[in-house]
Amino acid sequence: MHPKPKPAISLGPAAPRHQWEDFMSKNNLTRRNVVKTGMIGSAGLATPMIFTASSAAAFTNEPTGSTVTLGFNVPQTGPYADEGADELRAFELAVEHLNGGGDAGMMNTFSSKALKGSGILGKEVKYVTGDTQTKSDAARASAKSMIEKDGAVMISGGSSSGVAIAVQGLCQEAGVIFMSGLTHSNDTTGKDKKANGFRHFFNGYMSGAALAPVLKNAYGSDRNAYHLTADYTWGWTQQESIAAATEAMGWNTVNNVLTPLAATDFSSYIAPVLNSGADVLVLNHYGGNMVNSLTNAVQFGLRDKVINNKDFEIVVPLYSRLMARGAGENAKGIFGSTNWHWSLTDEGSKAFVRSFGTKYGFPPSQAAHTCYVQTMLYADAVERAGSFNPCAVAEALEGFEFDGLGNGPTLYRAEDHQCFKDVLVMKGKENPTSEFDLLEIVEVTPRAQVEYAVDHPMFAGGSLGTCSTGA
């Protein structure tokens, strides 16, 4: 008989401002013009319809006035809503910087100097938002509304690979650029890649390549792993990636059990692990799912078990500060990987942390960083291309090498529009000093270690195709 289901674990509200002020003071960071901001509005959903373009237009939503509109489509409800809230904060900050407000953030450190804080091609940047609900159909409807009703010339955002792939396909049809937010599935720039879509976030293969050597070092090569996996494209490819990487170093995969994205209690999935012979549990979960499954695993006493004469271990392949905050004490000592972390000391990361912290009173998450950078990269590409035409923008992004936006020298590979940069391996801190100081970087995995060939089997199938203008 299974234990009584526990209620869903909330990721909780933003941290008290005084904790961030203490951090800023200790690190000699200057606070300027702290602004308290409210909830960002949401664009309504439109009835699905077929895209049409004016015969006089060169491309969909060609800006003709003094402004240009961007569409920010994020999970404002659902299991990834915490990431969505931080994404909206970052988008708002990026627009402020593009329009010449604030301290310009990463525009000061970005190796490309095309952006001047005068909008994009001299046009003031406006934006609309939508709620993906972490559901592909809702995300497509929201993005369609922003394109057709609001005239958005670019769509960004999202914290689910299922959503990203759906919206990326829509943007290809519509003739607008999609600068994806959090999407970690190999398929986004693998079998489901599109010419109009670009990904700054890393992927499951990269997590496996970065994590496996660290796990071997910490736990040895003779391990039996049991996987719980979110049942959608991200979970499938994340599990395939981490299993392949750990099996290559000697680990054995005992079982892989799929769990629904809507699950809030994982007790019935944790119980069988105890009788499986496994001595490692790999949680291929993200956001609220990871918080809840990790909490259930600790409640079952897994972290206190000794199996096969080894201390039982838990691994979370894809980590975030927001998840660590939700998991609290349970995250201590647990390894994972991240795309970026606010404790990085490069000039770009420090500039972004300072800007974000000054405006909102706490440090940004990797979700915020990714969405801010994607907005800047789009605007920069438009400036360098001298046009909002999506095919000109795509050409400016393909093969683009840059620095100054965190994680060191970075490349947007032309063949699949995947971004390559250093990957961070993290560990939950044993003695955090605040609720912002929950994770520590244990290794900065060099870009060369996580790169792969365009025709790698995990990314096989599909075609980038040709850029679409929608006209």
Side-chain angles (χ1 to χ4, degrees):
M1 189 171 180
H2 301 309
K4 184 179 178 181
K6 311 292 188 303
I9 305 298
S10 170
L11 290 177
R17 183 176 293 272
H18 69 83
Q19 291 191 29
W20 174 245
E21 290 171 340
D22 289 344
F23 169 79
M24 296 282 277
S25 174
K26 288 176 184 176
N27 290 274
N28 297 315
L29 297 176
T30 304
R31 291 178 49 80
R32 299 185 303 278
N33 302 322
V34 174
V35 178
K36 290 186 178 180
T37 59
M39 187 72 73
I40 299 174
S42 169
L45 302 184
T47 303
M49 58 185 75
I50 297 174
F51 286 106
T52 60
S54 166
S55 59
F59 53 89
T60 298
N61 294 336
E62 180 177 6
T64 56
S66 61
T67 65
V68 60
T69 300
L70 308 182
F72 301 140
N73 203 24
V74 307
Q76 298 184 49
T77 55
Y80 298 164
D82 215 39
E83 275 77 14
D86 233 26
E87 289 174 1
L88 284 182
R89 295 182 187 108
F91 282 136
E92 183 183 56
L93 183 63
V95 169
E96 179 181 306
H97 289 166
L98 289 173
N99 286 332
D103 63 4
M106 285 180 152
M107 285 170 56
N108 294 324
T109 61
F110 189 13
S111 58
S112 173
K113 300 304 177 186
L115 299 173
K116 306 300 182 185
S118 55
I120 307 177
L121 289 184
K123 296 182 185 293
E124 181 185 4
V125 182
K126 302 286 188 180
Y127 66 94
V128 291
T129 72
D131 181 8
T132 69
Q133 304 174 42
T134 317
K135 297 176 182 177
S136 297
D137 289 346
R140 279 181 64 97
S142 180
K144 188 182 283 280
S145 173
M146 289 189 280
I147 295 168
E148 296 185 340
K149 185 178 100 174
D150 301 304
V153 73
M154 181 273 274
I155 301 293
S156 186
S159 293
S160 157
S161 290
V163 161
I165 288 169
V167 175
Q168 180 169 259
L170 175 91
C171 289
Q172 181 71 30
E173 299 165 16
V176 301
I177 291 292
F178 177 59
M179 302 295 285
S180 63
L182 269 67
T183 170
H184 194 240
S185 170
N186 293 340
D187 292 346
T188 308
T189 46
K191 70 179 184 63
D192 294 305
K193 58 183 174 288
K194 300 294 181 187
N196 283 47
F198 292 84
R199 170 161 63 178
H200 183 73
F201 208 64
F202 69 149
N203 57 42
Y205 175 91
M206 295 177 183
S207 283
L211 267 175
V214 175
L215 295 176
K216 181 179 180 180
N217 238 13
Y219 304 141
S221 58
D222 181 23
R223 284 286 187 165
N224 294 306
Y226 192 110
H227 292 244
L228 293 182
T229 300
D231 191 12
Y232 73 107
T233 180
W234 168 67
W236 306 332
T237 64
Q238 172 58 80
Q239 192 279 330
E240 177 188 26
S241 299
I242 194 70
T246 53
E247 286 171 6
M249 67 185 191
W251 286 25
N252 173 50
T253 301
V254 173
N255 201 359
N256 177 41
V257 177
L258 301 179
T259 63
L261 185 60
T264 56
D265 183 84
F266 294 85
S267 300
S268 61
Y269 297 100
I270 300 294
V273 178
L274 293 168
N275 300 314
S276 68
D279 44 49
V280 176
L281 173 62
V282 181
L283 295 176
N284 299 299
H285 291 154
Y286 192 71
N289 285 163
M290 172 270 182
V291 172
N292 290 324
S293 61
L294 177 58
T295 299
N296 289 154
V298 173
Q299 288 170 340
F300 268 79
L302 289 187
R303 299 197 72 179
D304 301 322
K305 298 291 184 184
V306 175
I307 307 290
N308 304 324
N309 296 316
K310 302 178 182 70
D311 290 338
F312 196 97
E313 305 293 350
I314 301 175
V315 177
V316 177
L318 180 57
Y319 235 152
S320 80
R321 178 184 63 79
L322 299 176
M323 289 158 54
R325 188 184 74 195
E329 295 275 326
N330 299 330
K332 289 185 176 183
I334 289 182
F335 286 106
S337 65
T338 62
N339 189 63
W340 177 87
H341 191 259
W342 66 268
S343 64
L344 285 170
T345 58
D346 63 279
E347 291 305 312
S349 294
K350 288 195 295 184
F352 179 55
V353 171
R354 182 167 53 246
S355 296
F356 191 97
T358 296
K359 186 173 180 67
Y360 298 113
F362 49 89
S365 63
Q366 67 173 349
H369 173 261
T370 299
C371 289
Y372 178 94
V373 168
Q374 285 287 64
T375 308
M376 290 295 171
L377 286 170
Y378 171 78
D380 175 78
V382 172
E383 291 283 354
R384 289 186 292 108
S387 172
F388 287 99
N389 186 307
C391 294
V393 175
E395 186 176 350
L397 285 168
E398 289 178 340
F400 181 45
E401 295 194 63
F402 56 92
D403 203 349
L405 296 181
N407 300 70
T410 305
L411 167 71
Y412 250 133
R413 187 160 65 183
E415 291 85 354
D416 55 6
H417 297 182
Q418 174 62 52
C419 193
F420 290 96
K421 56 191 182 301
D422 294 347
V423 170
L424 308 182
V425 176
M426 311 297 292
K427 187 179 183 182
K429 272 196 169 183
E430 295 290 349
N431 298 297
T433 58
S434 76
E435 72 168 277
F436 306 117
D437 183 41
L438 302 175
L439 297 175
E440 60 183 323
I441 299 172
V442 297
E443 183 168 300
V444 177
T445 306
R447 174 175 137 187
Q449 186 175 318
V450 300
E451 288 180 327
Y452 52 87
V454 175
D455 60 354
H456 188 283
M458 286 188 188
F459 297 85
S463 169
L464 193 64
T466 57
C467 175
S468 165
T469 64

